[in-house]
Amino acid sequence: MATLTQLEQLDQLRERMRRLERAAPQRRALETLPVLRDLVQLQAGGVYEVDPGAGGASLTWGLLAGPTAAGEWGAVVGVPDFGAEAAAALGVRLERVICVPEPGEAWLEAVAALVDVASLIVVRPPTGRAGRVSEAVAGKLAARLRTREAALISLGPWPRAEVRLTASAPRWGGAGQGDGHLRARLLSVEARRGTAPARRVDLWFPAADLTLVAQAPREEVAGRAHLGVVAS
């Protein structure tokens, strides 16, 4: 009986993988602010984890801005300190956002229900045992997200997140010699997808005019001596 050589087996496996890739449905891209696209492109069915530390909330509102500005619905669950003014300055259309600030123990049920009506759901899981999401639950919710063509951003740990984002090394500008006020913050933002090399960008988040830009405006760079840049 003839047997396949290792090279023939590898060729067959490669062809099978190509067929699977061709058969896999293409996921719908959600609108993402241009300044963030080099970092992460939101896609329907995706789950994204954002470190809630320094700059995490601002980064999340920047991601929420894309879909809502394009006319889609967003939702924010479990964030009682949601900064509506800061989110609006970053481009979030507040009239397109459903807020459930204190869902209590029903937070996961609230997220599952909102998948039916919102394209992007932001959730801050509770701390402790009540906030733990099992692999099984995460898998079921991910399947629901794919079916409904929605995406989820978790402000905190989430199993099976396809991209994990962190912000670090914040710098504030505007303090001068103590006679000014904080006007702009420079963050180094990193995105990790599985074992792939991390992507990093530096963003003024927000810039002096409260918008989001990928690099400091030229006049800010030139004027740092009198603006002052301080570590937070």
Side-chain angles (χ1 to χ4, degrees):
M1 180 180 294
T3 59
L4 294 173
T5 65
Q6 288 184 332
L7 287 177
E8 288 173 329
Q9 289 176 336
L10 285 173
D11 287 339
Q12 288 186 356
L13 287 172
R14 291 192 185 100
E15 179 58 29
R16 184 178 300 176
M17 291 178 65
R18 283 193 289 267
R19 288 199 301 269
L20 289 172
E21 289 173 353
R22 289 195 294 269
Q26 294 295 316
R27 294 198 294 172
R28 180 173 69 94
L30 299 181
E31 189 65 35
T32 307
L33 292 182
V35 72
L36 294 174
R37 286 178 193 157
D38 287 342
L39 188 69
V40 59
Q41 169 62 61
L42 295 175
Q43 291 186 317
V47 178
Y48 306 88
E49 178 186 305
V50 176
D51 187 331
S58 294
L59 177 58
T60 301
W61 310 145
L63 291 169
L64 183 61
T68 60
E72 301 199 57
W73 283 93
V76 180
V77 179
V79 188
D81 56 348
F82 172 54
E85 184 177 350
L90 289 172
V92 175
R93 292 270 303 277
L94 297 178
E95 69 273 17
R96 307 293 296 180
V97 177
I98 303 167
C99 288
V100 186
E102 296 184 0
E105 295 182 358
W107 69 273
L108 195 53
E109 289 81 354
V111 170
L114 287 166
V115 171
D116 290 337
V117 295
S119 295
L120 182 61
I121 300 97
V122 175
V123 59
R124 180 188 287 162
T127 57
R129 295 180 62 87
R132 291 180 185 173
V133 179
S134 67
E135 292 278 347
V137 169
K140 290 179 180 178
L141 188 56
R144 188 175 179 84
L145 289 167
R146 289 191 294 270
T147 300
R148 299 297 185 182
E149 292 196 330
L152 182 141
I153 296 177
S154 175
L155 273 167
W158 191 276
R160 300 193 183 190
E162 62 181 72
V163 180
R164 290 179 164 82
L165 300 115
T166 58
S168 61
R171 297 289 186 274
W172 285 94
Q177 300 301 316
D179 55 353
H181 61 275
L182 298 177
R183 293 171 49 195
R185 176 172 58 176
L186 181 65
L187 290 179
S188 178
V189 185
E190 178 179 282
R192 289 188 174 275
R193 180 187 293 270
T195 58
R199 293 183 178 182
R200 297 181 181 86
V201 296
D202 289 332
L203 303 170
W204 281 99
F205 217 70
D209 59 359
L210 299 182
T211 59
L212 172 63
V213 294
Q215 58 186 4
R218 187 172 300 174
E219 63 271 15
E220 286 189 7
V221 174
R224 277 191 195 174
H226 71 267
L227 271 180
V229 175
V230 297
S232 67

